[in-house]
Amino acid sequence: MIKRGKFLFFIVILFLILSSQSFGQQQETKPVSLEKISDYLYQILGGRGANGGVYIGDNGVLIIDAKMTKESVDETLAAVNKLTDKPIIYLVNTHSDGDHVAGNRYFPRSVTIISHENCREEFFHPQRDGKPSAWSTPEMAPYVPSLTYKDKMDIYLGQKKVELRYFGVGHTKGDTVVYFPGEKTAFIGDQIFMGRPQLIHSYKGGNSFAHVKTLTKMLENINAEKFCSGHSDPLDRTAIEHHIQEMKSIQEKVKSFIEQGKNLEEVKKEFPENLSRLVESIFSEIKGLA
Ligand SMILES: [Zn+2]
C-alpha cells in the first residue's frame, strides 16, 4: 500500500509539472487589451482568437467577435467594465470561424448575438470530418446568433448608430462589415488577411472571384478610412485596393496556366508554397469544381 501511495504521489507530481508547462505555454498568449480608436470605439487585441471591437453607445455596449476561451472572454468583459458601466447589449459575429465565435458561450445570456443570415446557417453545417455541428445541441442554442439580416441592419444605441453591411460572398458567404460612420471605421473580420495569403473557405461557400467584387463594392459603398481586420493592424483604403489588385493578378496567372493545359499540381508549382491553398481554391473555381 505504501508503494502504491508513492506511485500515486509520483503521478500527481508528474501531472503538476506537465500542467504547469502547458500553463506556461498559455501565458505566451498576450493578455486581452483594448486599443483606442475614438472615445467610443476600441479594438480588442490579444487573448486567444481574432481581434475584435468594442463600441460604447448611449445606453449600452456592442462587441464585435467573441475570442475563443473563457479566459479571453473574461478578460474582454473586465476590460470593457473598466471603460464603462453600461451593459453589453449586442455581440456581432463577423463570420462563423471558431476564432471569432467559439467564445460566444462565455458571454452573459442577456447579450443578443447578431450575424448575417448565411453566417447563422454556417453554424449548423456538419464539421469537416462529417460529424454534426457542435452548435446543434440544446445547450449551445442560446449562443448561436438569434438576430440576422440580409443586406443591411442599423443598430441604434441611443442616438449612436452602428451599421451592419453585407456586400456579398467572399471569404465565406456570410461576412459582415460593421461600419461606424462617426469614426469612419469599419470592422471587416477576415475579409482581408495581411501579411499572409487570403483564406477563402470554399466549404462555407466562399469564392475568390466574388471576394474581389465584394471588397470593391465595400469600398464604393462605405466612407470608411480605417478598416480593422481580425488578424492584422488596421488598414487604409489603399491597402485594400492593393489587396484587390494582388488577388486579381493571382487569378489571372492561374487562368493562363490552366489555358496552357497545366493541372492543379503543375499550377501550384508556379507559385510560392504558402499560396497553395489559395491557388487551389482559384483553380477549382475556374474549373467549376468549387
Ligand atoms: Zn479569423
Side-chain angles (χ1 to χ4, degrees), residues 50 95 99-100 190 231:
H95 62 283
D99 56 327
H100 301 255
D190 288 0
H231 303 279

Side-chain angles (χ1 to χ4, degrees), residues 112-140:
T112 300
I113 305 177
I114 310 176
S115 77
H116 187 263
E117 58 183 20
N118 295 344
C119 169
R120 183 179 189 278
E121 248 173 51
E122 285 160 12
F123 273 75
F124 303 110
H125 281 186
Q127 298 174 34
R128 277 196 245 198
D129 57 10
K131 286 186 191 152
S133 158
W135 297 94
S136 306
T137 63
E139 302 83 67
M140 295 301 279

Side-chain angles (χ1 to χ4, degrees), residues 144-290:
V144 171
S146 60
L147 207 56
T148 64
Y149 73 100
K150 205 178 180 70
D151 298 311
K152 186 173 188 280
M153 179 191 269
D154 292 336
I155 301 173
Y156 289 91
L157 293 154
Q159 289 297 313
K160 296 200 181 81
K161 183 170 108 170
V162 182
E163 295 180 14
L164 306 192
R165 305 288 297 265
Y166 179 70
F167 295 113
V169 170
H171 159 252
T172 68
K173 64 181 172 72
D175 295 84
T176 287
V177 171
V178 188
Y179 178 45
F180 299 92
E183 277 78 8
K184 291 198 169 181
T185 297
F187 282 70
I188 62 172
D190 288 0
Q191 294 187 79
I192 284 221
F193 277 71
M194 266 314 180
R196 54 177 167 144
Q198 180 63 37
L199 256 185
I200 298 291
H201 291 306
S202 309
Y203 74 102
K204 288 184 177 177
N207 180 294
S208 77
F209 290 91
H211 171 72
V212 164
K213 282 187 200 154
T214 296
L215 286 184
T216 307
K217 197 171 162 193
M218 174 183 81
L219 288 181
E220 285 166 5
N221 281 278
I222 58 173
N223 204 12
E225 282 161 9
K226 191 178 222 173
F227 297 83
C228 297
S229 134
H231 303 279
S232 74
D233 290 338
L235 307 155
D236 58 12
R237 296 180 80 86
T238 315
I240 294 183
E241 281 159 8
H242 181 76
H243 168 83
I244 292 172
Q245 286 314 318
E246 231 173 34
M247 287 291 292
K248 280 185 179 170
S249 103
I250 299 170
Q251 288 165 338
E252 281 310 311
K253 278 186 199 159
V254 173
K255 216 182 225 170
S256 75
F257 291 134
I258 290 175
E259 279 161 11
Q260 289 165 30
K262 290 190 197 300
N263 65 28
L264 176 60
E265 286 315 308
E266 289 163 339
V267 174
K268 275 193 197 166
K269 277 189 198 131
E270 300 284 347
F271 294 89
E273 213 182 313
N274 68 343
L275 280 179
S276 278
R277 212 167 147 187
L278 178 59
V279 167
E280 195 167 335
S281 298
I282 297 171
F283 184 95
S284 307
E285 289 163 12
I286 295 172
K287 289 276 192 179
L289 306 168

Side-chain angles (χ1 to χ4, degrees), residues 36-152:
K36 188 170 176 168
I37 293 172
S38 77
D39 284 346
Y40 309 110
L41 186 61
Y42 293 77
Q43 246 199 313
I44 307 173
L45 306 174
R48 293 254 294 128
N51 298 339
V54 178
Y55 187 68
I56 305 169
D58 298 332
N59 57 352
V61 175
L62 175 143
I63 304 274
I64 302 162
D65 286 339
K67 301 281 173 205
M68 301 179 78
T69 60
K70 184 170 190 312
E71 191 184 11
S72 292
V73 172
D74 286 346
E75 284 177 18
T76 303
L77 299 178
V80 172
N81 254 325
K82 271 190 204 162
L83 282 182
T84 177
D85 52 11
K86 290 170 186 169
I88 297 172
I89 305 180
Y90 300 113
L91 168 63
V92 178
N93 288 151
T94 56
H95 62 283
S96 63
D97 287 352
D99 56 327
H100 301 255
V101 308
N104 281 9
R105 75 195 77 172
Y106 306 119
F107 275 79
R109 285 279 292 267
S110 54
V111 173
T112 300
I113 305 177
I114 310 176
S115 77
H116 187 263
E117 58 183 20
N118 295 344
C119 169
R120 183 179 189 278
E121 248 173 51
E122 285 160 12
F123 273 75
F124 303 110
H125 281 186
Q127 298 174 34
R128 277 196 245 198
D129 57 10
K131 286 186 191 152
S133 158
W135 297 94
S136 306
T137 63
E139 302 83 67
M140 295 301 279
Y143 308 108
V144 171
S146 60
L147 207 56
T148 64
Y149 73 100
K150 205 178 180 70
D151 298 311
K152 186 173 188 280

